[in-house]
Amino acid sequence: MYFDLNIRNYLEFELDKGRGSRLSVGYKLVVRQDPKSPAAEAIRSLRTNLQYVGVDRSLKSVLVTSAGPSEGKTSIAANLALSMADAGTKCIAVGVDLRKPSLHSAFGLSNSTGLTNVLLGQMSLKDALQETEHERLSILASGPVPPNPAELLGSSVMKEIIAEIEASCDMAIYDATPVMAVTDAVLLSRLMSGVLLIVDMNQTPREQLALAKAQLEKVDAHILGVVANRVKSGGRYGGYYYYYYGEGESEAAATGDGAGSRAGRWLGRLMGGRRRT
């Protein structure tokens, strides 16, 4: 599964600063702020396909990660969670990046308490959850940065928290660290129903993406697909594309120019030419 969403961090997008509910500088919730945009439509397409995955295989938790930093994973995780809630799914978005927390920023929420506090037994999951303006979406921020993130995320307590989160909602979306930077995402991937691997087509070396995929496969992570971000195209958000790779064939729906098609062919080869869902 390959999607081009063209969602980016809007640190420089002055027109959007402060506009709309809970919009924070640095991230744009396109499914709320610009619901008719190609990016928002691509998020909804991604949501729909994940829902179809859940028909054949129980899908309660999705880890969103990337090969390297600044590839748009937090923006995509936040928008996906919001889109899930829009579709009637009770969703919890969880910040599991305990090194450079950012999920809370996408929703304009505080990071003073969160997952770290629950892991350390300082508060309950119920008390740590933050409500949003959407009644079906709650946020578990990362919380204070601990000195030992990998140890906490790999602990038996984390497994218990994941089980409690899954029992509290229909779907949990986890915003994780990049795969190649530290071990955190790989550790967590084994505990998830599936993994989405985000790639910035303008900056990520192909070798790095291939290595990230290999790291996840070593621990038998279920890679649902690759989401391609920032594929060069002509519109405001660029084209958006999604591909399914079956045995010896591909199905695609796309708008935009040939850049996405070239990216799709390469990502199809990376995914081994077989349907990951």
Side-chain angles (χ1 to χ4, degrees):
M1 181 165 60
Y2 155 55
F3 287 79
D4 165 26
L5 301 185
N6 278 290
I7 298 173
R8 65 189 67 222
N9 291 343
Y10 281 77
L11 291 170
E12 77 290 350
F13 205 60
E14 297 290 332
L15 292 177
D16 282 324
K17 290 184 179 179
R19 187 174 71 184
S21 60
R22 291 193 181 279
L23 176 64
S24 63
V25 177
Y27 300 95
K28 186 178 183 182
L29 298 175
V30 291
V31 296
R32 180 66 71 245
Q33 300 300 320
D34 202 355
K36 295 182 179 181
S37 68
E41 178 59 30
I43 285 287
R44 288 190 289 270
S45 295
L46 176 58
R47 175 197 72 199
T48 298
N49 282 279
L50 290 177
Q51 289 171 334
Y52 278 116
V53 171
V55 172
D56 297 324
R57 171 181 178 143
S58 177
L59 193 67
K60 292 283 290 185
S61 55
V62 175
L63 187 79
V64 182
T65 185
S66 58
S70 303
E71 300 202 52
K73 63 178 182 58
T74 298
S75 292
I76 291 171
N79 277 280
L80 179 59
L82 186 55
S83 182
M84 287 280 187
D86 282 343
T89 300
K90 185 178 181 182
C91 188
I92 297 177
V94 186
V96 288
D97 187 341
L98 303 186
R99 299 172 190 270
K100 293 183 179 179
S102 55
L103 180 66
H104 63 283
S105 297
F107 295 94
L109 298 174
S110 170
N111 194 49
S112 59
T113 59
L115 176 60
T116 302
N117 303 96
V118 182
L119 282 165
L120 295 175
Q122 298 170 346
M123 60 194 312
S124 66
L125 173 63
K126 181 179 179 180
D127 290 338
L129 287 173
Q130 299 185 63
E131 300 303 317
T132 68
E133 294 177 353
H134 201 306
E135 63 179 1
R136 289 185 291 273
L137 177 61
S138 301
I139 309 299
L140 179 60
S142 300
V145 175
N148 55 340
E151 288 81 358
L152 289 176
L153 294 174
S155 67
S156 59
V157 177
M158 185 64 196
K159 292 181 182 179
E160 295 172 1
I161 293 172
I162 290 173
E164 186 177 358
I165 290 172
E166 290 187 0
S168 304
C169 64
D170 301 317
M171 173 70 74
I173 306 295
Y174 292 80
D175 177 40
T177 56
V179 172
M180 301 305 295
V182 287
T183 62
D184 304 7
V186 175
L187 286 172
L188 287 170
S189 68
R190 298 176 297 179
L191 307 176
M192 300 290 143
S193 304
V195 177
L196 286 176
L197 188 57
I198 314 302
V199 54
D200 184 336
M201 298 304 292
N202 289 336
Q203 75 173 33
T204 307
R206 293 184 177 189
E207 296 79 7
Q208 187 175 18
L209 180 59
L211 285 171
K213 176 174 175 281
Q215 289 291 329
L216 292 167
E217 289 178 333
K218 282 182 180 178
V219 296
D220 294 324
H222 180 60
I223 303 176
L224 299 169
V226 176
V227 179
N229 198 19
R230 302 169 192 158
V231 174
K232 292 181 180 179
S233 189
R236 177 182 173 187
Y237 290 103
Y240 64 98
Y241 308 81
Y242 58 93
Y243 293 79
Y244 287 93
Y245 294 97
E247 294 182 2
E249 63 180 0
S250 66
E251 300 177 7
T255 66
D257 57 27
S261 298
R262 290 190 297 273
R265 285 193 293 271
W266 177 76
L267 289 173
R269 292 193 295 272
L270 174 70
M271 295 303 292
R274 59 184 184 275
R275 190 182 300 270
R276 301 297 304 186
T277 58

